[in-house]
Amino acid sequence: MGDSSLKKWRNLHSGDYHLSLDAETAKSWDRCYSQNIDPEKSTFESCTDTEFDIIKKNSTEIYAYTNRIIMALQEYLRNPHVGFALFDNNACLLKLYGSGQFLQWAEAKGITPKTIWREECAGTNAVSLGLELNKPLYFDGPDNFLKVLCDVVTYFTPFSLEDELNEGLLKKFGGVAIIGPDSEKDLDYLVTVISISKDVCMHLYLVVNTYHSISNPGLMHIDIEKAKNKMHILYHSSTIFDIFNITPVDLNFKNLQTIFDPYPQNKEFWEIIDSNRQVKNYNTKLSILGKENNYVLSSEPYKQSSLGFQGIKLVFESEERISSYVSRKIGNAQLTFSDIIGKNTNFIKTIYQAKRVALSDSNVLILGESGVGKDIFAQAIHNASSRKNKPFIALNCAAFPRDLIASELFGYEAGAFTGSKKGGNLGKFELANTGTIFLDEIGDMPLDLQAMLLRIIEQKSFMRLGSNTQIHVDVKIIAATNTDLIQKIKQRKFREDLYYRLSTIRLRIPALRERQDDIELLTNHFIKSISSRTNMPKLALSGEAMEMIKNLPWKGNVRELQNTIEGIFQLYPDTVILPCHIKEYLDIPEPNDLVISTAAPLAAAQAETNTENINGPAHKRQIEEALRINKYNITNTSSYLGVSRKTLYRWLKKYNLQ
Ligand SMILES: Nc1ncnc2c1ncn2[C@@H]1O[C@H](COP(=O)(O)OP(=O)(O)OP(=O)(O)O)[C@@H](O)[C@H]1O
């Protein structure tokens, strides 16, 4: 022990150390004195072997990275008298790295793995104080509270990250120190430990935050030693075992082939690894410990040339987990062909065509007026297809503000635009991968997005907003519209090439007025479903009332019919419905038999004008009621009333309801 160090240390203890030590160190000395820690104590406290096993297990994240980095740096630490020490977040010494000379010196001092450097065990030292203050610290020998450390110099830096979920809080993971005899001072050592810490923290950030924010997929970091043709698992998340459905085993620093079956199995996987290729959401079959399954794989090579460090980050998801995640978040297609009611010959033909469409993987364009059942057909097609257990994602292109559709469809990278979520966001195309995406009201899609959609269809890949990486997707597209797309093409509002790409198969759903023979069937179907839903088994409609319903124009098609039936039974639940009830509900004036006609149905435009003309103040009340029920949402209210948004706006203006 250096005499001058010991002398300085003794002087500090016998005098007023507040004058010589910096404020934080002096405060720590105060605490040590108040806890009656004996400065002369000659040994460190250590944890037991069992405790140390638990500590090591809890520290695998920092151990995996730091171990590798220190190993690579160690040979450049030219001074054989000093070495590295790795600590966990409770100041337990996990491992020492250095020359034989350094390790002998450390052992003689009692500085060995398992020793605890917390203040209450080892008095004030750079490790305890650095962890507490969360900052790099250099400690000269006499700054240490214990005599045994009075000639030991320490350069320490903690590993910490801001906790993204709890703003302001810090997650501490431990730290790294360079330790040696007091004679070996060199402030560059502090720079060395700071840069190690920065590197470790960057890795920890990737591991802890980036991927876990989305759906907690399986994450693996592979260390590639090209020269030795070795690929080791440097880090893996615990979810990997669930995803691969295997019993947890120790994979740290194990060769990749410990779980991935060797070539020629996993051909695609080995090719990606060998060529260090980046892929995003790549559907591939993997053979894990003899069990084959489908997975979605993303890979991202990385290289730290300065440290001679090269690896690849792999993210795995099983297809089942993605499907269940998506269904939980988005909800799946519920309806099947058995939910579609109709006996009209043309309508039956449409159902037949739709069933055939479901068997092919081509894109489908569903055409038809508002409320004819385009949505129900899209769901039924998905549920009758081979993709039925995969996601069904619906997006109404008209309901989204123009600038949000792009991020809804394609997702975005973290920080892609102001207000974007920290971890980025999956777009509908990524969520629908392997399943079906239903783009309702495609005619309202802005032109620039039409170009992007066309690219997805042609290349089966796309890029998230703010990213330049192609993401591969396998999605069946069902689009629907109630507008005349040919007309829109002529007006240059819809791309002709996209129209032909989307309409590989066109399905036209006839309007209700073209299948009057279905009205009775549908009416009875809706009465039955209201009865069972509301527990009102005796709902009844007179023959005349049914005749009247069959002859109304139903501009809003099945939706309008359904809403009317529901509305009438809500208003008159305890009576047999007669024509007078319907007239009252729809505000049809008695003498003017404009709408009730057994003759051919009125033309749609004429019907709308008529409804409007005959209704007057009652019509206004009906609109007010519809607005209230639909919480003043224009799209929902117009659907509820079975008219277009344009018509509703016109009515609002006319009745001064804006
Ligand atoms: N053939 C049918 N059998 C049973 N219910 C139907 C049928 N057609 C439509 N419906 C019902 O009518 C309502 C409107 O149908 P849907 O939403 O599928 O119409 P749409 O054509 O997609 O309308 P929009 O163009 O306004 O989006 C839904 O409640 C649906 O369940």
Side-chain angles (χ1 to χ4, degrees):
M1 188 173 291
D3 282 353
S4 70
S5 302
L6 182 60
K7 209 164 146 201
K8 262 196 208 160
W9 180 82
R10 284 211 187 287
N11 287 343
L12 280 172
H13 275 281
S14 54
D16 184 359
Y17 51 79
H18 296 97
L19 300 175
S20 315
L21 296 174
D22 71 70
E24 293 295 351
T25 312
K27 260 195 237 161
S28 171
W29 276 47
D30 290 344
R31 288 195 295 270
C32 293
Y33 271 118
S34 65
Q35 285 173 64
N36 292 326
I37 297 173
D38 177 7
E40 301 279 344
K41 105 177 180 182
S42 55
T43 51
F44 287 99
E45 286 177 36
S46 294
C47 59
T48 63
D49 287 346
T50 327
E51 285 165 344
F52 195 54
D53 281 345
I54 298 170
I55 289 170
K56 277 198 293 191
K57 223 180 223 158
N58 292 338
S59 314
T60 45
E61 273 169 0
I62 55 158
Y63 182 78
Y65 290 117
T66 324
N67 188 56
R68 181 79 204 166
I69 292 168
I70 297 179
M71 294 283 233
L73 276 182
Q74 207 183 323
E75 64 175 296
Y76 300 103
L77 193 67
R78 304 245 167 221
N79 186 344
H81 302 289
V82 297
F84 290 100
L86 179 61
F87 291 88
D88 87 334
N89 57 346
N90 279 311
C92 173
L93 204 169
L94 294 172
K95 192 167 172 175
L96 284 171
Y97 307 78
S99 65
Q101 202 174 338
F102 164 74
L103 294 175
Q104 259 179 17
W105 167 84
E107 191 167 1
K109 283 250 148 227
I111 301 174
T112 54
K114 287 196 263 183
T115 48
I116 314 280
W117 290 51
R118 278 199 308 273
E119 188 180 272
E120 67 268 29
C121 306
T124 309
N125 62 80
V127 180
S128 67
L129 203 58
L131 277 173
E132 190 200 315
L133 303 175
N134 189 42
K135 66 176 191 186
L137 279 185
Y138 151 62
F139 252 50
D140 209 355
D143 296 339
N144 291 292
F145 186 79
L146 291 193
K147 182 174 149 197
V148 67
L149 288 177
C150 80
D151 56 353
V152 174
V153 67
T154 321
Y155 303 86
F156 175 79
T157 304
F159 305 138
S160 62
L161 289 174
E162 278 159 31
D163 187 341
E164 298 212 329
L165 296 176
N166 300 297
E167 252 172 70
L169 276 186
L170 278 177
K171 276 189 191 171
K172 296 184 183 177
F173 297 89
V176 63
I178 289 181
I179 298 180
D182 212 5
S183 50
E184 307 299 329
K185 283 177 211 146
D186 185 344
L187 269 179
D188 280 353
Y189 293 148
L190 192 61
V191 178
T192 308
V193 287
I194 289 172
S195 59
I196 294 176
S197 160
K198 290 238 176 295
D199 210 6
V200 171
C201 289
M202 185 196 78
H203 283 288
L204 287 175
Y205 175 78
L206 287 177
V207 172
V208 176
N209 292 323
T210 319
Y211 285 97
H212 291 232
S213 59
I214 300 175
S215 59
N216 211 8
L219 180 64
M220 241 184 207
H221 282 253
I222 311 300
D223 175 28
I224 301 177
E225 278 184 81
K226 271 254 148 75
K228 295 185 189 153
N229 203 15
K230 279 185 182 162
M231 283 171 280
H232 291 120
I233 301 169
L234 199 58
Y235 169 83
H236 66 85
S237 63
S238 51
T239 39
I240 210 86
F241 302 113
D242 290 342
I243 287 160
F244 291 154
N245 198 12
I246 53 172
T247 330
V249 278
D250 179 13
L251 291 178
N252 283 325
F253 290 98
K254 294 280 160 59
N255 200 300
L256 258 192
Q257 292 195 359
T258 313
I259 53 166
F260 295 96
D261 297 330
Y263 196 88
Q265 299 196 69
N266 295 319
K267 190 165 172 272
E268 285 183 322
F269 175 73
W270 292 123
E271 273 167 13
I272 290 170
I273 303 279
D274 285 344
S275 58
N276 229 11
R277 192 148 58 91
Q278 176 157 19
V279 293
K280 265 265 164 95
N281 293 340
Y282 190 85
N283 294 293
T284 186
K285 213 179 228 30
L286 289 178
S287 176
I288 312 280
L289 297 175
K291 272 192 270 175
E292 266 205 351
N293 229 322
N294 288 325
Y295 295 91
V296 179
L297 167 71
S298 298
S299 66
E300 198 180 320
Y302 57 90
K303 201 170 183 174
Q304 306 246 329
S305 311
S306 55
L307 291 170
F309 191 75
Q310 182 182 346
I312 189 161
K313 184 162 64 196
L314 303 172
V315 182
F316 300 90
E317 261 303 3
S318 67
E319 286 192 349
E320 292 84 50
R321 271 177 47 117
I322 289 188
S323 296
S324 70
Y325 170 66
V326 169
S327 341
R328 272 202 318 276
K329 266 200 96 158
I330 314 283
N332 251 348
Q334 311 274 333
L335 302 168
T336 64
F337 281 115
S338 59
D339 296 298
I340 300 182
I341 311 295
K343 61 171 187 177
N344 170 274
T345 324
N346 280 338
F347 191 65
I348 294 286
K349 266 192 206 154
T350 312
I351 295 180
Y352 174 73
Q353 283 170 355
K355 283 184 177 167
R356 284 196 19 203
V357 164
L359 301 178
S360 93
D361 222 14
S362 313
N363 296 330
V364 188
L365 179 64
I366 306 179
L367 304 166
E369 288 176 17
S370 182
V372 286
K374 296 185 293 296
D375 179 62
I376 187 171
F377 266 85
Q379 294 195 34
I381 291 171
H382 170 80
N383 280 329
S385 75
S386 58
R387 297 170 182 255
K388 65 171 182 265
N389 294 323
K390 303 288 160 57
F392 174 87
I393 306 292
L395 182 85
N396 186 319
C397 305
F400 269 89
R402 195 189 168 290
D403 32 335
L404 280 188
I405 305 184
S407 63
E408 275 300 312
L409 279 179
F410 308 115
Y412 52 82
E413 285 295 295
F417 51 84
T418 321
S420 57
K421 278 194 234 151
K422 267 190 182 159
N425 203 23
L426 290 181
K428 299 276 192 246
F429 267 99
E430 243 169 309
L431 291 170
N433 195 15
T434 72
T436 304
I437 192 162
F438 174 44
L439 301 175
D440 202 1
E441 313 235 17
I442 189 82
D444 289 334
M445 183 174 266
L447 271 172
D448 50 343
L449 287 178
Q450 290 179 28
M452 287 163 97
L453 184 58
L454 186 68
R455 266 202 303 279
I456 295 193
I457 298 174
E458 283 172 348
Q459 298 168 5
K460 293 202 177 302
S461 64
F462 70 99
M463 286 185 278
R464 283 182 178 184
L465 303 187
S467 155
N468 50 15
T469 310
Q470 288 289 340
I471 299 178
H472 176 86
V473 277
D474 162 28
V475 174
K476 177 182 175 107
I477 300 175
I478 303 180
T481 184
N482 54 22
T483 54
D484 183 349
L485 286 185
I486 300 291
Q487 186 63 22
K488 284 211 157 189
I489 292 170
K490 282 187 193 143
Q491 296 166 344
R492 300 193 180 277
K493 287 185 181 154
F494 203 84
R495 291 180 67 121
E496 193 172 5
D497 43 7
L498 178 63
Y499 174 75
Y500 287 111
R501 283 292 189 171
L502 286 174
S503 61
T504 321
I505 296 169
R506 270 193 298 272
L507 210 61
R508 189 186 159 275
I509 306 181
L512 197 53
R513 64 177 173 281
E514 297 169 46
R515 47 185 171 113
Q516 256 195 323
D517 42 344
D518 276 347
I519 297 180
E520 184 166 351
L521 201 64
L522 280 163
T523 305
N524 287 330
H525 165 75
F526 294 135
I527 295 176
K528 226 165 109 190
S529 74
I530 302 167
S531 300
S532 66
R533 206 179 61 227
T534 56
N535 222 0
M536 295 192 289
K538 291 201 181 113
L539 298 180
L541 199 70
S542 74
E544 293 90 335
M546 181 64 92
E547 268 320 295
M548 186 178 182
I549 284 175
K550 276 160 65 179
N551 288 293
L552 286 169
W554 302 120
K555 167 83 172 95
N557 290 295
V558 187
R559 180 183 292 113
E560 191 191 2
L561 173 65
Q562 186 178 5
N563 290 343
T564 304
I565 304 292
E566 295 230 358
I568 288 175
F569 280 107
Q570 260 172 34
L571 211 60
Y572 314 104
D574 303 318
T575 175
V576 174
I577 302 297
L578 301 169
C580 62
H581 296 119
I582 301 174
K583 285 182 202 167
E584 203 174 307
Y585 178 78
L586 291 176
D587 271 322
I588 302 172
E590 273 302 332
N592 191 345
D593 233 355
L594 263 172
V595 189
I596 311 159
S597 158
T598 44
L602 295 172
Q606 189 196 344
E608 193 169 283
T609 319
N610 287 338
T611 319
E612 205 176 332
N613 286 341
I614 56 179
N615 288 337
H619 188 223
K620 182 180 176 186
R621 273 203 310 280
Q622 189 191 358
I623 297 166
E624 284 174 324
E625 177 70 357
L627 282 167
R628 197 181 49 75
I629 291 170
N630 291 288
K631 299 196 168 74
Y632 299 90
N633 177 305
I634 296 297
T635 307
N636 295 349
T637 309
S638 58
S639 307
Y640 181 84
L641 291 167
V643 295
S644 65
R645 282 160 43 118
K646 217 165 93 192
T647 304
L648 180 59
Y649 277 122
R650 197 157 46 76
W651 288 350
L652 295 181
K653 201 166 166 200
K654 177 179 167 188
Y655 295 124
N656 236 346
L657 290 173
Q658 279 165 314

